[in-house]
């Protein structure tokens, strides 16, 4: 699990970093709509990576040729040896971060429900969706995935008719495009990779591109005076707009200049093969890179047990003051269980074999996607540990 997370973090960093660095050029040559849709490459990459990881024919086991050595001392029997599991510690920290993110989202959902319970219905605003207003709402927003509503500030009625229509169209286009579902998916991805700073920057840029795209849709049929009026509305509402986790926000003052400048340029259409081609190329290229990373990681994957049961030193060997070793070959399934244990070589023959096999069958290795074939280990049985002042040289054939 942690290995998969590390691989996806690297790939997400490459995709998100590329989109962030090239954002200005993308806006200039593709327009707001197409640039916004390019963010589909992120979930495409993650979904494709998960599918590839679950394909049955790709789960062939890896052959391992390395030989691990462990010492078995008669004077110091250890019942169970469990290595320090740093992966488990990281897992707990990761889950703690996800819990925090889920809590923040839950608190905001509760807050929005409280606002809706005390909000008053607004009529005659030419809206297809139920529309409400509340004194605590500072800027227009769309809330509710399954039962969408528009929340407006109380000064909405003071705007001109053209300004009101533009704002309502802006929020209704969010609903038409199912942006709240996109926001939920984006927040889930952010919650999963909360530890990656690039994901936070990408999430903020994604939300800003969402607003730019809506602006392009609303203003494409407006006259120049109407665009100026719409810009004034942006200026008024963006000063106090909050960046919601799920609900739409009416922009913020950080991208206000970018949104106003966009109205002065002609926007390219919101459909076309360029969107599909670029999105798929980003997702597929990341997917191919992900397969290479997984293959490279498995080729160099070390074999270390997380639970090692110490073999029992045979009583007869202790009485006879016998030292020796057993070389074993075995397989490890994806869940880390040892099976198919066999003796390659032992000295003295058949003295330590049974004890070594019984112990090795109880060992547990870290979980993996493909498991491992042909792992090897040598257990050195010694009555006393070697002297520390004597140099030891391991000779391998």
């Amino acid at each position: 699990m942690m290995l998969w997370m590390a691989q996806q973090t690297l790939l997400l960093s490459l995709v998100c970093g590329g989109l962030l660095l090239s954002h200005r050029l993308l806006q200039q040559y593709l327009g707001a709509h197409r640039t916004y849709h390019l963010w589909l490459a992120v979930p495409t990459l993650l979904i494709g990576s998960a599918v590839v990881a679950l394909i049955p024919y790709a789960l062939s086991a890896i052959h391992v040729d390395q030989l691990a050595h462990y010492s078995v001392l008669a004077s110091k029997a250890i019942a169970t040896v469990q290595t320090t599991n740093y992966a488990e510690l990281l897992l707990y920290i990761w889950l703690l971060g996800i819990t925090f993110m889920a809590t923040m989202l839950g608190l905001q959902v509760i807050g929005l429900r409280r606002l809706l319970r005390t909000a008053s219905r607004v009529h005659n605003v030419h809206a297809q969706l139920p529309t409400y207003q509340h004194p605590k709402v500072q800027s227009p927003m769309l809330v509710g995935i399954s039962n969408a509503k528009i929340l407006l500030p109380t000064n909405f009625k003071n705007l001109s008719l053209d300004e009101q229509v533009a704002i309502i169209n802006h929020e209704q286009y969010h609903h038409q495009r199912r942006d709240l579902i996109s926001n939920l998916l984006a927040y889930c991805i952010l919650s999963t990779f909360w530890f990656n700073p690039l994901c936070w920057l990408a999430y903020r840029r994604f939300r800003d591109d969402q607003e730019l795209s809506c602006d392009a849709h609303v203003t494409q049929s407006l006259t120049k005076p109407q665009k100026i009026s719409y810009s004034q509305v942006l200026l008024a509402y963006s000063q106090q707009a909050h960046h919601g986790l799920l609900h739409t926000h009416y922009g913020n003052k950080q991208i206000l200049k970018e949104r106003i400048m966009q109205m002065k340029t002609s926007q390219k259409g919101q459909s076309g093969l360029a969107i599909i081609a670029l999105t798929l190329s980003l997702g597929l290229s990341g997917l191919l890179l992900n397969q290479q990373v997984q293959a490279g990681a498995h080729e160099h994957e070390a074999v270390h047990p997380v639970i090692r049961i110490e073999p029992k030193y045979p009583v007869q060997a202790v009485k006879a003051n016998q030292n020796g070793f057993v070389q074993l070959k075995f397989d490890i399934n994806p869940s880390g269980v040892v099976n198919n244990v066999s003796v390659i070589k032992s000295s003295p023959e058949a003295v330590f074999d049974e004890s070594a096999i019984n112990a090795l069958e109880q060992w547990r290795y870290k979980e993996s996607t493909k498991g491992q074939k042909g792992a090897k280990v040598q257990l050195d049985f010694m009555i006393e540990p070697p002297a520390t002042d004597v140099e030891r040289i391991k000779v391998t054939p």
Side-chain angles (χ1 to χ4, degrees):
M1 176 63 181
M2 299 306 295
L3 177 62
W4 184 86
M5 286 292 299
Q7 293 167 354
Q8 305 320 305
T9 299
L10 174 62
L11 295 175
L12 276 181
S13 299
L14 292 175
V15 173
C16 293
L19 289 174
L20 290 171
L21 290 175
S22 60
H23 184 267
R24 181 171 295 182
L25 291 176
L26 293 174
Q27 285 277 16
Q28 180 179 353
Y29 292 103
L30 297 181
H33 290 295
R34 292 172 180 170
T35 302
Y36 171 65
H37 284 92
L38 280 180
W39 289 107
L40 285 172
V42 174
T44 300
L45 170 65
L46 293 176
I47 294 173
S49 177
V51 170
V52 168
L54 296 175
I55 293 178
Y57 65 78
L59 301 180
S60 56
I62 304 170
H63 184 77
V64 181
D65 292 325
Q66 62 182 352
L67 178 64
H69 286 255
Y70 296 94
S71 299
V72 182
L73 302 178
S75 59
K76 188 178 181 181
I78 304 175
T80 303
V81 176
Q82 185 168 352
T83 59
T84 302
N85 195 347
Y86 294 104
E88 184 176 353
L89 177 61
L90 291 176
L91 177 62
Y92 289 142
I93 296 175
W94 175 64
L95 291 175
L96 183 62
I98 291 180
T99 302
F100 174 79
M101 297 290 287
T103 302
M104 294 295 295
L105 181 61
L107 291 176
Q108 185 170 105
V109 170
I110 293 173
L112 288 175
R113 287 181 176 178
R114 288 177 178 174
L115 285 178
L116 288 173
R117 283 198 298 265
T118 56
S120 57
R121 186 69 181 265
V122 179
H123 301 280
N124 300 324
V125 291
H126 309 285
Q128 299 176 359
L129 296 173
T131 307
Y132 297 82
Q133 65 179 10
H134 197 284
K136 293 185 178 180
V137 174
Q138 303 299 325
S139 65
M141 65 179 68
L142 178 71
V143 298
I145 294 179
S146 59
N147 189 16
K149 300 177 180 65
I150 297 176
L151 269 177
L152 301 171
T154 52
N155 62 353
F156 177 80
K157 285 291 188 177
N158 298 334
L159 302 177
S160 66
L161 179 60
D162 289 339
E163 293 171 340
Q164 292 181 15
V165 171
I167 289 176
I168 294 299
N169 288 341
H170 182 102
E171 300 304 328
Q172 288 187 153
Y173 186 61
H174 275 304
H175 176 67
Q176 176 186 341
R177 202 170 53 180
R178 301 294 187 267
D179 281 344
L180 290 183
I181 297 178
S182 300
N183 293 346
L184 178 60
L185 177 60
Y187 189 78
C188 288
I189 295 175
L190 177 64
S191 299
T192 303
F193 299 93
W194 58 265
F195 50 85
N196 189 340
L198 275 177
C199 288
W200 287 90
L201 295 175
Y203 176 76
R204 178 58 69 99
R205 185 68 258 181
F206 162 77
R207 296 296 303 274
D208 290 342
D209 284 347
Q210 189 178 88
E211 296 304 318
L212 287 170
S213 178
C214 277
D215 287 343
H217 172 77
V218 171
T219 59
Q220 63 183 349
S221 59
L222 297 183
T223 62
K224 185 175 181 179
Q226 289 175 328
K227 288 184 178 181
I228 295 175
S229 179
Y230 185 75
S231 300
Q232 293 173 345
V233 174
L234 287 180
L235 180 62
Y237 284 140
S238 296
Q239 299 300 314
Q240 298 177 326
H242 298 287
H243 201 295
L245 302 179
L246 266 187
H247 64 76
T248 62
H249 64 95
Y250 207 70
N252 53 68
K253 57 185 178 182
Q254 281 75 21
I255 66 161
L256 181 59
K257 180 180 178 181
E258 185 178 354
R259 296 178 70 179
I260 294 177
M261 292 298 296
Q262 175 186 247
M263 298 181 198
K264 297 181 179 181
T265 61
S266 59
Q267 287 295 313
K268 299 176 175 59
Q270 52 184 304
S271 62
L273 294 177
I275 299 175
I276 301 175
L278 284 173
T279 302
L280 289 179
S281 62
L282 282 173
L284 292 177
S285 60
L287 186 58
L288 292 175
L289 179 60
N290 178 64
Q291 290 180 306
Q292 296 175 357
V293 170
Q294 286 182 339
H298 285 304
E299 287 175 1
H300 303 90
E301 189 172 4
V303 183
H304 297 294
V306 294
I307 297 180
R308 184 166 70 89
I309 303 301
E310 191 77 3
K312 294 181 180 179
Y313 210 102
V315 177
Q316 294 180 351
V318 175
K319 293 179 179 180
N321 199 33
Q322 281 184 311
N323 295 328
F325 69 87
V326 180
Q327 290 183 357
L328 302 163
K329 185 177 181 180
F330 58 99
D331 299 334
I332 306 170
N333 67 17
S335 60
V337 176
V338 173
N339 49 43
N340 299 329
V341 180
S342 60
V343 176
I344 303 174
K345 183 179 180 181
S346 64
S347 177
E349 291 187 5
V351 174
F352 303 101
D353 295 13
E354 183 179 356
S355 176
I357 292 174
N358 291 338
L360 182 58
E361 288 177 341
Q362 301 177 66
W363 288 19
R364 293 294 180 269
Y365 285 76
K366 63 180 181 180
E367 296 182 2
S368 61
T369 304
K370 300 181 178 181
Q372 294 167 332
K373 288 282 188 182
K376 297 177 182 179
V377 66
Q378 176 169 317
L379 300 179
D380 298 312
F381 290 79
M382 296 177 289
I383 296 295
E384 294 181 358
T388 57
D389 58 346
V390 177
E391 183 180 3
R392 302 180 66 196
I393 300 176
K394 181 184 296 183
V395 180
T396 56

